[in-house]
Amino acid sequence: VGSYDIALGSGNKAGNYSITFAQDNDAYEITRRSLTLTGLTVSDKTYNRDTDATVSSWGSFSNVVGDDQVSLNVDSANVAFDNRNYGTQSVTITGLSLDGTDATNYSIADQTSAATINKFELDLGLTADNKVYDGDADAVVTAAPNVFTGDYVSVTFDAAFSNEHVANNKIISLTNLSLTGADSSNYLLPATPSVTANITARPLILTYTAENRVYDGSTDATGSSSSRMLGSVISVCASA
């Protein structure tokens, strides 16, 4: 590689001639051969809000001349997705250089490849409120998903106990789960999110009504009590 002068060759008649150049006598140049990497591959990754990428194989040179000694130096290489979002994205590799006895005769340009950024599966961080029996299966569940800082993602759902009856560690079912927000396409809902809570017994306050009676020499008494809840009346007859 370099620039070389052009001169008149030798021969028994060479002395009869001269050579004149139309421009500077620097017309003969050997340029560097640009090397091509074959088999360069980049690993897929899970979304993490950055563009960092990892080369899984650097491949090999496909156009080194003869037995020239040339190797790839990746010490200063930078490998990055062109886009941080979910999907198959282009990857650009910069900062490559060459080592070896014949490296000065070659050059290496920035390389390109492609790989997939997969969706990040969320941990919804579910917590559920215990409640006192109220005759229905409605549940209050709060989500605190592990969304990356700076991303805009919201989780919406409906929540209900399996039934309305009193019990501990009752499973709460989540339905109509969905993700919304500018960055929601980069996230994946868990397949079977679950949470539990307790339904505890409801204390009853009885209203007791005693019946008047005519003296009969005994201490017996009669009366009634009732508690109203959700339209139902519980009546108790008592005697004392």
Side-chain angles (χ1 to χ4, degrees):
V1 171
S3 299
Y4 302 90
D5 291 342
I6 299 175
L8 187 63
S10 60
N12 58 5
K13 302 292 185 178
N16 299 321
Y17 298 88
S18 65
I19 186 167
T20 301
F21 297 96
Q23 54 187 2
D24 292 340
N25 186 15
D26 192 18
Y28 180 57
E29 183 178 2
I30 299 176
T31 59
R32 296 174 186 266
R33 175 181 286 266
S34 180
L35 290 179
T36 301
L37 282 172
T38 300
L40 173 67
T41 57
V42 176
S43 300
D44 296 341
K45 77 167 191 175
T46 300
Y47 174 80
N48 64 350
R49 207 174 187 273
D50 66 37
T51 58
D52 294 345
T54 302
V55 172
S56 54
S57 173
W58 288 102
S60 59
F61 295 129
S62 61
N63 57 336
V64 173
V65 176
D67 58 358
D68 278 0
Q69 301 300 305
V70 186
S71 61
L72 182 67
N73 185 323
V74 300
D75 291 346
S76 299
N78 180 66
V79 187
F81 286 92
D82 295 346
N83 187 310
R84 68 179 174 85
N85 294 314
Y86 159 74
T88 300
Q89 309 290 358
S90 297
V91 178
T92 300
I93 302 101
T94 60
L96 299 175
S97 60
L98 300 172
D99 289 335
T101 306
D102 302 295
T104 56
N105 295 319
Y106 296 87
S107 65
I108 183 75
D110 294 345
Q111 304 292 303
T112 59
S113 186
T116 299
I117 298 178
N118 297 307
K119 294 188 177 189
F120 178 82
E121 183 171 330
L122 286 172
D123 179 347
L124 295 182
L126 300 172
T127 56
D129 293 348
N130 297 326
K131 77 169 188 175
V132 177
Y133 173 77
D134 61 2
D136 67 42
D138 293 344
V140 176
V141 175
T142 303
N146 56 335
V147 173
F148 289 101
T149 301
D151 277 357
Y152 294 93
V153 181
S154 297
V155 182
T156 60
F157 52 83
D158 297 321
F161 287 96
S162 55
N163 57 53
E164 74 275 17
H165 302 302
V166 171
N168 291 329
N169 298 315
K170 291 178 70 71
I171 294 175
I172 297 173
S173 299
L174 303 183
T175 56
N176 301 320
L177 271 165
S178 66
L179 296 175
T180 59
D183 300 293
S184 60
S185 60
N186 294 313
Y187 292 87
L188 182 68
L189 286 166
T192 55
S194 63
V195 66
T196 61
N198 304 331
I199 298 179
T200 57
R202 185 179 193 88
L204 291 178
I205 298 175
L206 298 179
T207 301
Y208 183 82
T209 304
E211 296 179 3
N212 297 326
R213 72 179 179 88
V214 176
Y215 170 76
D216 63 0
S218 72
T219 57
D220 294 341
T222 60
S224 64
S225 63
S226 66
S227 175
R228 181 177 296 275
M229 189 180 102
L230 300 177
S232 298
V233 176
I234 301 173
S235 296
V236 178
C237 293
S239 61

mmCIF file of all heavy atoms in Angstrom, residues 206 208-211 220-225 235-240:
data_model
loop_
_atom_site.group_PDB
_atom_site.id
_atom_site.type_symbol
_atom_site.label_atom_id
_atom_site.label_comp_id
_atom_site.label_asym_id
_atom_site.label_seq_id
_atom_site.Cartn_x
_atom_site.Cartn_y
_atom_site.Cartn_z
ATOM 1 N N LEU A 206 -77.196 -7.434 67.145
ATOM 2 C CA LEU A 206 -78.583 -7.863 67.242
ATOM 3 C C LEU A 206 -79.422 -6.807 67.955
ATOM 4 O O LEU A 206 -79.020 -6.266 68.996
ATOM 5 C CB LEU A 206 -78.688 -9.177 67.994
ATOM 6 C CG LEU A 206 -77.980 -10.389 67.365
ATOM 7 C CD1 LEU A 206 -78.170 -11.616 68.249
ATOM 8 C CD2 LEU A 206 -78.509 -10.644 65.959
ATOM 9 N N TYR A 208 -82.601 -6.481 70.069
ATOM 10 C CA TYR A 208 -83.460 -7.392 70.839
ATOM 11 C C TYR A 208 -84.689 -6.644 71.344
ATOM 12 O O TYR A 208 -84.581 -5.565 71.931
ATOM 13 C CB TYR A 208 -82.683 -7.974 72.028
ATOM 14 C CG TYR A 208 -83.464 -8.975 72.833
ATOM 15 C CD1 TYR A 208 -83.546 -10.293 72.415
ATOM 16 C CD2 TYR A 208 -84.132 -8.597 74.000
ATOM 17 C CE1 TYR A 208 -84.262 -11.230 73.140
ATOM 18 C CE2 TYR A 208 -84.857 -9.519 74.732
ATOM 19 C CZ TYR A 208 -84.911 -10.833 74.297
ATOM 20 O OH TYR A 208 -85.634 -11.754 75.022
ATOM 21 N N THR A 209 -85.839 -7.244 71.113
ATOM 22 C CA THR A 209 -87.109 -6.673 71.584
ATOM 23 C C THR A 209 -87.791 -7.676 72.510
ATOM 24 O O THR A 209 -88.091 -8.801 72.082
ATOM 25 C CB THR A 209 -88.036 -6.337 70.407
ATOM 26 O OG1 THR A 209 -87.353 -5.448 69.509
ATOM 27 C CG2 THR A 209 -89.310 -5.685 70.909
ATOM 28 N N ALA A 210 -88.010 -7.271 73.768
ATOM 29 C CA ALA A 210 -88.661 -8.164 74.742
ATOM 30 C C ALA A 210 -90.166 -7.911 74.757
ATOM 31 O O ALA A 210 -90.612 -6.776 74.570
ATOM 32 C CB ALA A 210 -88.081 -7.935 76.122
ATOM 33 N N GLU A 211 -90.916 -8.975 74.984
ATOM 34 C CA GLU A 211 -92.368 -8.864 75.019
ATOM 35 C C GLU A 211 -92.843 -8.642 76.469
ATOM 36 O O GLU A 211 -92.386 -9.303 77.399
ATOM 37 C CB GLU A 211 -93.002 -10.137 74.469
ATOM 38 C CG GLU A 211 -92.678 -10.371 72.993
ATOM 39 C CD GLU A 211 -93.301 -11.672 72.478
ATOM 40 O OE1 GLU A 211 -94.017 -12.340 73.275
ATOM 41 O OE2 GLU A 211 -93.054 -12.008 71.305
ATOM 42 N N ASP A 220 -89.517 -16.372 83.344
ATOM 43 C CA ASP A 220 -89.431 -16.576 81.903
ATOM 44 C C ASP A 220 -89.736 -15.276 81.165
ATOM 45 O O ASP A 220 -90.584 -14.495 81.590
ATOM 46 C CB ASP A 220 -90.403 -17.657 81.443
ATOM 47 C CG ASP A 220 -90.051 -19.035 81.999
ATOM 48 O OD1 ASP A 220 -88.864 -19.190 82.427
ATOM 49 O OD2 ASP A 220 -90.912 -19.916 81.984
ATOM 50 N N ALA A 221 -88.997 -15.096 80.044
ATOM 51 C CA ALA A 221 -89.244 -13.920 79.196
ATOM 52 C C ALA A 221 -89.135 -14.339 77.743
ATOM 53 O O ALA A 221 -88.431 -15.287 77.396
ATOM 54 C CB ALA A 221 -88.254 -12.805 79.502
ATOM 55 N N THR A 222 -89.836 -13.667 76.900
ATOM 56 C CA THR A 222 -89.753 -13.935 75.456
ATOM 57 C C THR A 222 -89.455 -12.632 74.731
ATOM 58 O O THR A 222 -89.758 -11.543 75.205
ATOM 59 C CB THR A 222 -91.067 -14.531 74.925
ATOM 60 O OG1 THR A 222 -92.133 -13.601 75.171
ATOM 61 C CG2 THR A 222 -91.377 -15.864 75.585
ATOM 62 N N GLY A 223 -88.829 -12.774 73.597
ATOM 63 C CA GLY A 223 -88.510 -11.600 72.798
ATOM 64 C C GLY A 223 -87.980 -12.037 71.444
ATOM 65 O O GLY A 223 -87.957 -13.221 71.106
ATOM 66 N N SER A 224 -87.546 -11.080 70.656
ATOM 67 C CA SER A 224 -86.998 -11.389 69.323
ATOM 68 C C SER A 224 -85.846 -10.441 69.023
ATOM 69 O O SER A 224 -85.744 -9.337 69.563
ATOM 70 C CB SER A 224 -88.084 -11.262 68.251
ATOM 71 O OG SER A 224 -88.531 -9.922 68.165
ATOM 72 N N SER A 225 -84.935 -10.908 68.184
ATOM 73 C CA SER A 225 -83.816 -10.064 67.742
ATOM 74 C C SER A 225 -83.684 -10.193 66.232
ATOM 75 O O SER A 225 -84.076 -11.195 65.641
ATOM 76 C CB SER A 225 -82.514 -10.481 68.429
ATOM 77 O OG SER A 225 -82.172 -11.812 68.072
ATOM 78 N N SER A 235 -83.858 -13.485 62.087
ATOM 79 C CA SER A 235 -84.679 -13.330 63.301
ATOM 80 C C SER A 235 -84.354 -14.428 64.277
ATOM 81 O O SER A 235 -84.175 -15.601 63.903
ATOM 82 C CB SER A 235 -86.168 -13.396 62.934
ATOM 83 O OG SER A 235 -86.508 -12.303 62.102
ATOM 84 N N VAL A 236 -84.277 -14.061 65.550
ATOM 85 C CA VAL A 236 -83.980 -15.030 66.597
ATOM 86 C C VAL A 236 -85.023 -14.857 67.696
ATOM 87 O O VAL A 236 -85.269 -13.753 68.165
ATOM 88 C CB VAL A 236 -82.562 -14.796 67.193
ATOM 89 C CG1 VAL A 236 -82.292 -15.782 68.324
ATOM 90 C CG2 VAL A 236 -81.515 -14.895 66.099
ATOM 91 N N CYS A 237 -85.650 -15.951 68.066
ATOM 92 C CA CYS A 237 -86.576 -15.925 69.203
ATOM 93 C C CYS A 237 -85.841 -16.436 70.432
ATOM 94 O O CYS A 237 -85.139 -17.448 70.361
ATOM 95 C CB CYS A 237 -87.799 -16.800 68.930
ATOM 96 S SG CYS A 237 -88.836 -16.131 67.592
ATOM 97 N N ALA A 238 -86.011 -15.741 71.516
ATOM 98 C CA ALA A 238 -85.288 -16.125 72.730
ATOM 99 C C ALA A 238 -86.245 -16.121 73.907
ATOM 100 O O ALA A 238 -87.236 -15.422 73.912
ATOM 101 C CB ALA A 238 -84.142 -15.140 72.984
ATOM 102 N N SER A 239 -85.893 -16.908 74.882
ATOM 103 C CA SER A 239 -86.652 -16.897 76.119
ATOM 104 C C SER A 239 -85.693 -16.940 77.285
ATOM 105 O O SER A 239 -84.594 -17.483 77.172
ATOM 106 C CB SER A 239 -87.638 -18.086 76.182
ATOM 107 O OG SER A 239 -86.916 -19.306 76.127
ATOM 108 N N ALA A 240 -86.080 -16.358 78.359
ATOM 109 C CA ALA A 240 -85.167 -16.342 79.515
ATOM 110 C C ALA A 240 -86.003 -16.434 80.772
ATOM 111 O O ALA A 240 -87.180 -16.064 80.785
ATOM 112 C CB ALA A 240 -84.364 -15.043 79.518
#
